[in-house]
Amino acid sequence: MSTSTPSNPPTPASSVAPAHSDHDDELVKVSWLERVPGRGNAVAWPLGLAGALVLIAGTFLSWSYTDDVLGDLSVDFWPGGVQICMIVLGLAALVFLLAHRGPLAGLGAWLDSAAAVLGLGLGAVGYMVGAIGVIAYQSGGLINVNPGGWVSLLGALLLAASGLMLVSRQTKDPLFAKTSSWLEILTIVGLMALVLFGAAYALGVGDGASFVLFLLFVAAMAWALSKSGVFTWIGLIAQKNRQVLMLGAFAVAFLFPFTQGGSDENMSIATQVLIFAATALGLNIVVGLAGLLDLGYIAFLGAGAYVGAVLSASAFATIDWKPPFLIVVLLGACFSAILGLIIGSPTLRVSGDYLAIVTLAFGEIFRLTMGNLDGNNGPVLTNGPNGIPAIPDLQFGSFDFGQPHDVLGITLGRFANYYFLLLVIAAIIILVFTRLNNSRIGRGWVAIREDEKAAEAMGVNVFGLKLFAFAGGAFLAGMAGTVKAHHDVSVTPDQYIFLESAFLLAAVVLGGMGTVAGVLVGATILKLLPEKLRFVADYRLLIFGLVLVLMMRFRPEGLVASQRRKLEFHEDDEELAQRIEEVHLEEAEAKA
């Protein structure tokens, strides 16, 4: 990706000055960034270099007078976790500054280093303002903020000012970068390692304020990499090395429990995330591919959980038959699929708001029915509101999921055992989803989602495919539900309320409909944040609603969007579509 930096680089389209017409006084609309005083000034680059160095230097000084705020930030030359995040951000800013002008100037032709420095600078300012605010609030005033905090804040302000004044020197599109395969593979491996240690660190952060600051740090880094074009290149090499990427992702997921030091608390959160993600992937078939709005999907998870509970060895189970767990998984999945067929057959001839109302009613009917099968209002099957408690742990041969096991000197507890089992189920669900998505069935679902009438006119079996989507998604949710019953030890009707369906749907929309990675990211965010931000539990739904509103405004395609969805929500971006098509044509010619 290296090339010499031109002496007079062409001005990017985003920095074109307002043009004056000979026929009228109309001005071409420019962004607010073009109106920043001093933009393009020669002092911008050294100012950014000084800001990055000052930001890093401040992290080696004490930030807080007391040692009980944000960990321990009261010791000089011993940075805490909160300070290390700023060291990493400062080093990233140095790399982009040297790419703008310096020994890494070749990268500046491929990457928008000015936008990256701006993103890192603004992120650093927000981070430092938040950190100083927390220190002042928890320790009794700004007087308890030590000089290191103010030094780092000054560095962040200088870096942000530099980013506002720098002008991009990018002259090449990263989509057309030609890199060696070993560099691409090393990049993927490095990214997977960062994901592994980042997830381990995030779960290990016990303080809510520190966790919020870590999220700000991740957001700033992601924004900078996205604006610079690094993510464009990463997306390209990810498509070229899909097998390596998938292998690396599962390796990270497999190694994650070994980074937790036997912590049952963290592994409990991880298993809940996996259950939630596996269920959301099933919903992704219904909503993301077929475009059917289902507000009662949690009922299918509950159906699988109840099958697992009544067929377990619990003393409160109401059925005497105790088949092996593999049989229970299939029975729970099939029972959920049958419910999908029952609810889908009479209702899938309606669509839109009417379908949403029907599925919402189905979810509530399921919950009320499970609460009434107690022997008084119906047969004794679910013990009514009391549910089925004391569900024993799974046991495969001599392997007891409830007992800790030592592997390579690391103790893996009960939740780690269930984590590995859920990882296998999640892998099966991902395989099923990807195969369906790339098949004629998947293309039929997408056609139905885009225009049902047009799809039917082209010969697509609309009703049959919609029914299959409903039953298939329910089948996958039932699989996850049978494991959830043993993981949670008990099953009660109040676990499957409408709000859970809403969160599942939000995970699909937030992460990116029709994608695997997007749903995994959305499910992780929605399940992890409530666990780490318990100090704002009373405002959880308010924050959740604000996030969704902002997402719909600024990124309606989701955090990790498919190319198809991205172009659907950004129809004016014809240049992006043309570039993607050119890349695909070049790859096809190279293979030929």
Side-chain angles (χ1 to χ4, degrees):
M1 291 176 59
S2 61
T3 183
S4 58
T5 306
S7 56
N8 294 310
T11 305
S14 60
S15 60
V16 176
H20 189 277
S21 172
D22 295 335
H23 304 286
D24 52 48
D25 295 330
E26 236 179 292
L27 295 178
V28 176
K29 184 178 180 181
V30 297
S31 67
W32 65 270
L33 192 58
E34 311 304 325
R35 302 186 180 94
V36 173
R39 184 164 173 80
N41 196 301
V43 78
W45 186 80
L47 184 67
L49 199 63
L53 294 175
V54 170
L55 174 66
I56 296 173
T59 61
F60 288 92
L61 301 176
S62 169
W63 283 13
S64 173
Y65 180 77
T66 59
D67 59 359
D68 57 350
V69 179
L70 299 176
D72 186 359
L73 306 180
S74 62
V75 182
D76 290 330
F77 306 107
W78 191 261
V82 172
Q83 294 166 311
I84 290 175
C85 288
M86 282 297 94
I87 293 177
V88 174
L89 191 146
L91 292 176
L94 283 177
V95 170
F96 281 109
L97 285 165
L98 295 178
H100 191 79
R101 183 194 304 172
L104 302 178
L107 287 175
W110 291 97
L111 302 177
D112 191 347
S113 53
V117 173
L118 176 60
L120 293 172
L122 294 178
V125 171
Y127 188 98
M128 290 308 306
V129 169
I132 290 175
V134 171
I135 294 172
Y137 177 77
Q138 294 186 1
S139 62
L142 290 173
I143 190 65
N144 292 311
V145 180
N146 278 355
W150 300 111
V151 171
S152 290
L153 176 60
L154 174 62
L157 291 171
L158 294 177
L159 189 61
S162 169
L164 289 171
M165 291 188 292
L166 286 175
V167 177
S168 174
R169 296 191 172 191
Q170 181 182 4
T171 58
K172 297 186 177 183
D173 195 327
L175 272 176
F176 299 98
K178 303 297 183 182
T179 52
S180 58
S181 58
W182 66 266
L183 177 60
E184 295 174 355
I185 293 175
L186 285 179
T187 302
I188 292 174
V189 171
L191 286 175
M192 293 298 103
L194 287 176
V195 170
L196 176 61
F197 290 108
Y201 176 80
L203 273 181
V205 175
D207 179 57
S210 299
F211 184 77
V212 171
L213 289 176
F214 178 73
L215 291 182
L216 285 175
F217 161 73
V218 172
M221 293 294 294
W223 184 26
L225 294 177
S226 176
K227 291 297 184 181
S228 68
V230 172
F231 280 172
T232 301
W233 179 68
I234 290 176
L236 180 63
I237 66 173
Q239 287 186 354
K240 293 169 60 178
N241 302 274
R242 289 183 181 179
Q243 294 181 346
V244 176
L245 181 63
M246 292 181 63
L247 182 62
F250 279 106
V252 166
F254 178 81
L255 293 174
F256 175 76
F258 296 95
T259 66
Q260 297 305 302
S263 172
D264 280 344
E265 180 182 358
N266 291 344
M267 289 312 303
S268 174
I269 297 174
T271 52
Q272 292 176 32
V273 168
L274 268 182
I275 293 172
F276 192 73
T279 310
L281 282 169
L283 180 61
N284 199 20
I285 293 178
V286 181
V287 177
L289 296 183
L292 305 174
L293 185 56
D294 188 348
L295 296 181
Y297 189 77
I298 195 66
F300 300 127
L301 179 69
Y306 267 102
V307 169
V310 298
L311 296 180
S312 70
S314 170
F316 299 91
T318 55
I319 296 179
D320 293 333
W321 185 40
K322 312 299 177 187
F325 181 69
L326 292 178
I327 302 297
V328 174
V329 170
L330 292 177
L331 289 174
C334 291
F335 180 67
S336 295
I338 291 171
L339 285 181
L341 292 174
I342 293 174
I343 187 62
S345 297
T347 60
L348 284 180
R349 299 190 186 278
V350 300
S351 59
D353 298 338
Y354 300 101
L355 180 61
I357 293 171
V358 172
T359 54
L360 171 61
F362 166 70
E364 289 300 297
I365 289 171
F366 172 82
R367 181 178 63 84
L368 294 174
T369 302
M370 294 300 103
N372 287 326
L373 298 179
D374 56 357
N376 295 323
N377 303 307
V380 181
L381 188 61
T382 64
N383 295 327
N386 295 324
I388 302 175
I391 301 174
D393 287 305
L394 291 172
Q395 189 166 349
F396 290 164
S398 60
F399 188 88
D400 188 348
F401 279 73
Q403 298 298 321
H405 299 83
D406 291 333
V407 178
L408 301 177
I410 299 176
T411 301
L412 300 177
R414 174 181 182 271
F415 294 109
N417 297 330
Y418 281 102
Y419 175 88
F420 287 118
L421 177 60
L422 286 164
L423 197 60
V424 173
I425 293 179
I428 294 173
I429 293 176
I430 290 173
L431 178 64
V432 171
F433 178 86
T434 53
R435 298 297 292 179
L436 286 174
N437 188 23
N438 297 326
S439 66
R440 287 185 60 189
I441 295 175
R443 291 192 291 272
W445 282 334
V446 172
I448 294 171
R449 184 191 70 196
E450 297 305 317
D451 192 325
E452 184 175 326
K453 297 298 183 183
E456 189 173 11
M458 295 299 294
V460 176
N461 185 356
V462 173
F463 179 75
L465 286 181
K466 288 166 69 174
L467 194 60
F468 182 61
F470 235 67
F475 184 91
L476 299 179
M479 288 179 61
T482 55
V483 180
K484 177 177 170 61
H486 292 271
H487 172 270
D488 293 348
V489 184
S490 66
V491 176
T492 56
D494 57 4
Q495 294 176 334
Y496 307 103
I497 58 178
F498 162 72
L499 192 59
E500 294 298 323
S501 290
F503 276 113
L504 284 170
L505 181 61
V508 176
V509 175
L510 178 66
M513 292 193 294
T515 64
V516 172
V519 173
L520 294 176
V521 170
T524 302
I525 291 174
L526 291 182
K527 206 64 179 179
L528 182 61
L529 290 186
E531 296 292 337
K532 291 297 182 180
L533 304 181
R534 294 184 180 274
F535 64 97
V536 292
D538 294 339
Y539 305 98
R540 183 180 66 166
L541 293 179
L542 174 62
I543 297 172
F544 173 66
L546 290 175
V547 169
L548 283 183
V549 170
L550 293 175
M551 283 294 301
M552 294 302 99
R553 171 61 182 84
F554 296 105
R555 196 171 176 85
E557 68 272 22
L559 295 174
V560 184
S562 64
Q563 292 180 3
R564 183 192 298 132
R565 298 288 294 178
K566 194 169 185 178
L567 293 177
E568 287 172 6
F569 284 104
H570 301 278
E571 295 178 354
D572 296 334
D573 200 352
E574 298 179 358
E575 182 183 353
L576 174 63
Q578 184 177 0
R579 286 160 52 198
I580 293 174
E581 184 178 356
E582 290 174 358
V583 171
H584 287 170
L585 288 175
E586 284 190 2
E587 291 179 356
E589 292 175 358
K591 291 180 180 178

